[in-house]
Amino acid sequence: MALLLAEAPALADTAPRDPATREIYARVVGFRTAAGHGQTQAMVAYLSDLLTKGGVPAADIATLDHGEARAMLVRVPGRERGRPILFSAHMDVVDARPEEWERSPFELIEENGNFYGRGTMDNKAGVVALVSTILRLRAERLQPARDLVFGFVADEETGMETTRLIAAHPWVRDAEFALNTDAGGGLLDDASGRPLIYLVQGAEKTYATFDLTVTNPGGHSSRPRADNAIYQLARALGKVEAYRFPVMANDLTRAYLGAVGKAKEGELGDALRRFAEDPNDAAAAEALARSPEFVGTTRTTCVATMLTAGHAENALPQTARAAVNCRIFPAVPVETVRAALVAAIGDPGVAVTTRDEPAASPVSEMRPDVVGAIERAVHAYYPGVAVVPYLESGGTDGLVYRTAGIPTFASSGLFAKPTEMYAHGLNERLPVRSFYEGLDHSFRLAVELGAAKRT
């Protein structure tokens, strides 16, 4: 990994496989950094020790705490004054139950060309890419023209409170833009494995959770009532399942779907092209609604994710509650979605309340310098692949950064097949090749956008 970017070949079959970086990956996957386990503190201790041993001054490392969650900032000072660039990754993961996995979720296992383990894709590959970039800049004595700040978030999967602390930190708050490793990447054809397209996240949907609650006097289970809270809630959830929000589109989603449509064959490719040309094409919209990969790009979606009910096996339930998580299309008010759920359920006995205070994220307009750097980094391994912006149907720290006034572009450098994306699910994995290419991708962006030079 001692090769300068300017000296690197224009095209390589794959990035070099560095055993030291693989060991870092194995160590961070081994930390159970899900909420409630307190492991982000241990992970920050490991990473900060690694960085200081690699030559990063202690004064350029800062920690930020919120409850048990500990985030970290690392600054690479620039040669000149200027607005900094933020690079971001999150250390925390959605928890995994070892008894449900085929392999240990908190151990990095390499099999069949994949790395397995919780967080291998979401987002510990990004964490390692940023750590590798910092160490590589130090080892190769490369100094950027302006400060590069690397943020390691501790609670992206829950409240994003440490993300807000990062966005408000003096090293970050004046950042000109941010690069986020938690989204943006390439799609491989499911059948052939050939690269289809590379996506740069420039916007994301609003994340909102609504609680559906039914209350009841309850009673003894030997004396059933006609109005059972669990049954009433179940009927409401059936109506939520059946309800479809209106089809929507904007310039960004039409450009994205049209570009993917050009790369995909068959019925799905045809539907993508037709929808991009005419979002009022009902047949095309219906075809995309059947695709988990694309339904979130064409409308607001809501889905039940959690249930709690009852207090004893021999008592009628007094309370039944469900969490319904919604990903809301840009510019649609949260209250409009809540009102639509209330109308779809049509039962005044089911209370629908908004959890917390959901925040909408503005769209980040694509910058030619950022897109150009991403294109060159992608084409180093996948020449000619189209690089296009897209709307993220999930949620990332980009929401917080954009709301704080920092335009954010997500680009991980990772390529994977849509059918093999297991983030948040069982047996999460990442192609081995993608991991190493992602390391080089982040380094190339830091060198080019930071105008790094050897000192």
Side-chain angles (χ1 to χ4, degrees):
M1 293 175 61
L3 192 66
L4 283 173
L5 179 61
E7 300 167 352
L11 175 63
D13 290 336
T14 188
R17 302 191 177 193
D18 177 43
T21 309
R22 188 192 190 282
E23 174 59 22
I24 298 171
Y25 196 30
R27 288 289 301 274
V28 301
V29 169
F31 290 105
R32 191 172 184 172
T33 50
H37 293 276
Q39 285 288 286
T40 54
Q41 296 180 26
M43 186 165 159
V44 165
Y46 164 68
L47 293 177
S48 60
D49 181 64
L50 186 72
L51 291 165
T52 53
K53 288 178 178 176
V56 177
D60 288 328
I61 299 175
T63 59
L64 305 93
D65 291 348
H66 184 272
E68 68 165 26
R70 174 164 294 169
M72 180 174 70
L73 284 173
V74 182
R75 178 176 58 183
V76 177
R79 304 185 304 273
E80 309 160 4
R81 294 179 62 86
R83 297 175 67 187
I85 300 172
L86 172 67
F87 287 77
S88 181
H90 69 85
M91 302 179 294
D92 61 314
V93 297
V94 170
D95 207 5
R97 296 175 178 172
E99 66 274 14
E100 296 178 346
W101 280 52
E102 295 175 11
R103 305 163 187 82
S104 173
F106 300 105
E107 177 184 356
L108 186 69
I109 297 174
E110 184 175 350
E111 287 182 11
N112 305 318
N114 289 307
F115 283 127
Y116 290 85
R118 173 56 89 220
T120 45
M121 175 178 282
D122 185 15
N123 175 234
K124 289 184 176 178
V127 169
V128 179
L130 298 193
V131 171
S132 171
T133 294
I134 297 166
L135 292 174
R136 194 170 168 185
L137 290 170
R138 292 289 308 185
E140 298 180 10
R141 298 176 57 196
L142 290 169
Q143 186 178 21
R146 50 178 160 169
D147 288 3
L148 303 182
V149 182
F150 297 82
F152 299 87
V153 176
D155 60 345
E156 188 271 350
E157 300 290 5
T158 50
M160 299 191 189
E161 295 299 335
T162 63
T163 319
R164 293 179 178 87
L165 294 177
I166 287 173
H169 193 276
W171 292 355
V172 173
R173 62 190 176 208
D174 191 39
E176 186 173 349
F177 59 87
L179 276 299
N180 186 7
T181 65
D182 190 32
L187 301 180
L188 301 174
D189 182 73
D190 279 317
S192 66
R194 68 181 177 89
L196 298 176
I197 195 170
Y198 187 86
L199 307 173
V200 181
Q201 186 224 70
E204 54 191 273
K205 298 170 82 174
T206 302
Y207 177 105
T209 297
F210 300 94
D211 289 309
L212 277 55
T213 306
V214 178
T215 57
N216 191 291
H220 201 285
S221 63
S222 66
R223 303 175 65 183
R225 301 168 54 99
D227 56 344
N228 184 293
I230 291 177
Y231 297 152
Q232 188 176 2
L233 179 62
R235 289 191 292 270
L237 290 174
K239 292 178 180 178
V240 172
E241 179 187 18
Y243 181 74
R244 287 191 179 180
F245 286 85
V247 173
M248 301 188 74
N250 59 28
D251 290 344
L252 188 150
T253 60
R254 291 179 69 179
Y256 158 55
L257 295 175
V260 177
K262 291 178 181 178
K264 280 190 175 287
E265 299 176 350
E267 178 185 352
L268 182 58
D270 179 63
L272 288 164
R273 293 188 295 272
R274 284 166 39 216
F275 184 88
E277 185 175 337
D278 179 14
N280 294 316
D281 186 325
E286 179 61 26
L288 297 184
R290 295 192 295 269
S291 168
E293 183 182 352
F294 297 109
V295 61
T297 311
T298 61
R299 67 183 76 210
T300 293
T301 60
C302 291
V303 61
T305 55
M306 299 182 73
L307 282 170
T308 51
H311 59 285
E313 63 180 274
N314 59 350
L316 299 177
Q318 296 172 2
T319 303
R321 180 176 292 111
V324 173
N325 183 252
C326 299
R327 307 302 174 111
I328 304 171
F329 204 88
V332 176
V334 171
E335 178 56 27
T336 298
V337 175
R338 193 195 73 84
L341 292 175
V342 170
I345 292 167
D347 181 353
V350 180
V352 181
T353 56
T354 306
R355 188 180 295 187
D356 301 322
E357 297 181 3
S361 173
V363 174
S364 296
E365 298 296 332
M366 291 292 117
R367 292 173 53 120
D369 56 343
V370 173
V371 174
I374 292 172
E375 285 178 338
R376 284 182 281 278
V378 170
H379 291 164
Y381 298 105
Y382 301 92
V385 169
V387 176
V388 299
Y390 80 109
L391 165 70
E392 178 70 48
S393 58
T396 74
D397 296 305
L399 183 152
V400 173
Y401 299 138
R402 292 188 186 100
T403 303
I406 303 172
T408 302
F409 312 94
S411 182
S412 68
L414 307 178
F415 274 75
K417 296 179 180 180
T419 56
E420 294 183 353
M421 293 185 182
Y422 290 85
H424 294 200
L426 292 174
N427 307 310
E428 183 178 350
R429 69 199 68 171
L430 178 69
V432 172
R433 170 174 176 161
S434 278
F435 169 69
Y436 291 106
E437 290 172 353
L439 303 180
D440 193 52
H441 183 85
S442 291
F443 177 73
R444 287 172 180 267
L445 295 184
V447 170
E448 179 170 345
L449 293 171
K453 293 182 179 180
R454 175 167 284 173
T455 57

